[in-house]
Amino acid sequence: MRQLLTAIAAGVAAVALLTAPAGAVQGGTPDGNGHPNVGLSVFYYHGVPLWRCSGTMVAAQVYVTAGHCTGIDPSLGIAPDHAEVWFDSGPILRGNYPGTGSCAGYTGYPCKGDIGGLPHPHPGWNGFLTFPNTHDMGVVVLDSAPSKGLSKIAPSGYLDGLANKRGQQNVNFTVVGYGVQFERPNLEVAVRQRFVGTNQLQNLRSHIAGGYNLMMTDSNGNGTGRGGTCFGDSGGPIFHTDDAGNTWLVAVISFGTKYCKGTSGAFRLDNTQARDFLSGFGVPLN
């Protein structure tokens, strides 16, 4: 779930800041240097900031995130043409942008990150119209390599093996992102900081999951524990550590429920369509 930054009308003739950009996996804990290759990204159209998401480095200049961050927004009829990424653990302080119009001439958040790049949505992304097979993934090809370390894409079908073990034990995932910490009617808590939390496997095969999405609950299964995802966490990584101690990137955060409570969904990276897309950008696969 991305964090919307601006409203666009009349072909970007009028742009108004809607919300304060925000950060934190709901109820999680500050990540510090735990995941230095997880970044905060802002996406733009003709220099105007649109929304912000989270993402992860998976090759020297390739940052993976959600398709609805990198691709067309059907309600606006536009797709971002540029991205900027910050890797600071935060809180990331606002720069001198006045809140409307182009970022030209302004520095700092939300206008100038550590590295810029070009967004590429999965070619199948079309605005959740093909649910549950949404193809909700994309990459940003950065202008230079940030040297923050790389996450390893899970082997093909990795999550199916975990689902088969679920009757024997709870399957836990690590979620990381810069999204909203707390969301309620007329109240949003957001600090633009990288947070980490824990979610549990709910299912892979429901009508919502369909074999394409990983459905999770927060660590208490009721929306009150640590680990829930929220606006701005979109595209952030879902990690799983196997019995041998290998940590795999298994999915990217995609969608959730009202007020970010309870269940959330992530698009799987261990299927053929995701792996083929990533391999086209030189991402190493296992």
Side-chain angles (χ1 to χ4, degrees), residues 241-255:
T241 301
D242 65 21
D243 293 338
N246 300 301
T247 297
W248 303 104
L249 176 57
V250 300
V252 292
I253 296 167
S254 178
F255 58 91

Side-chain angles (χ1 to χ4, degrees):
M1 297 146 284
R2 70 186 179 209
Q3 177 75 51
L4 186 67
L5 297 187
T6 56
I8 297 188
V12 238
V15 181
L17 195 66
L18 293 182
T19 59
V25 168
Q26 280 203 317
T29 57
D31 182 60
N33 293 320
H35 299 86
N37 66 346
V38 176
L40 166 67
S41 41
V42 174
F43 294 83
Y44 313 81
Y45 179 71
H46 292 185
V48 178
L50 302 173
W51 47 71
R52 69 172 205 63
C53 294
S54 302
T56 317
M57 294 303 302
V58 291
Q61 290 177 238
V62 181
Y63 170 94
V64 67
T65 183
H68 70 268
C69 300
T70 55
I72 189 167
D73 183 310
S75 66
L76 298 176
I78 61 170
D81 53 21
H82 182 70
E84 292 281 330
V85 183
W86 289 254
F87 290 99
D88 192 291
S89 62
I92 294 172
L93 302 179
R94 192 176 285 276
N96 62 349
Y97 179 63
T100 60
S102 170
C103 270
Y106 297 107
T107 59
Y109 182 88
C111 291
K112 183 62 178 174
D114 298 331
I115 304 174
L118 184 63
H120 298 268
H122 190 288
W125 165 252
N126 59 14
F128 291 108
L129 296 179
T130 53
F131 207 86
N133 186 12
T134 62
H135 307 91
D136 192 12
M137 64 174 298
V139 300
V140 177
V141 177
L142 299 177
D143 297 334
S144 60
S147 300
K148 296 291 183 178
L150 306 177
S151 293
K152 298 182 293 185
I153 303 296
S156 180
Y158 180 84
L159 285 170
D160 296 312
L162 290 185
N164 293 334
K165 295 173 60 176
R166 191 178 175 219
Q168 305 168 30
Q169 60 185 19
N170 289 326
V171 177
N172 293 322
F173 300 99
T174 299
V175 298
V176 186
Y178 290 79
V180 172
Q181 176 66 29
F182 187 83
E183 181 79 5
R184 291 293 184 273
N186 304 315
L187 175 64
E188 179 181 283
V189 178
V191 293
R192 290 192 299 278
Q193 185 170 1
R194 189 169 64 228
F195 272 61
V196 59
T198 303
N199 275 7
Q200 288 182 355
L201 173 65
Q202 185 184 73
N203 68 73
L204 301 173
R205 298 294 175 184
S206 69
H207 71 285
I208 297 177
Y212 301 103
N213 301 308
L214 164 64
M215 302 306 299
M216 304 170 293
T217 58
D218 71 27
S219 57
N220 288 338
N222 60 9
T224 60
R226 64 193 177 93
T229 61
C230 200
F231 304 107
D233 287 323
S234 283
I238 308 294
F239 294 115
H240 183 264
T241 301
D242 65 21
D243 293 338
N246 300 301
T247 297
W248 303 104
L249 176 57
V250 300
V252 292
I253 296 167
S254 178
F255 58 91
T257 56
K258 188 175 183 179
Y259 304 132
C260 310
K261 294 184 65 176
T263 301
S264 59
F267 189 75
R268 295 174 59 169
L269 300 184
D270 65 333
N271 59 49
T272 299
Q273 60 188 0
R275 292 168 63 84
D276 287 350
F277 174 71
L278 291 171
S279 69
F281 291 92
V283 177
L285 301 175
N286 296 280

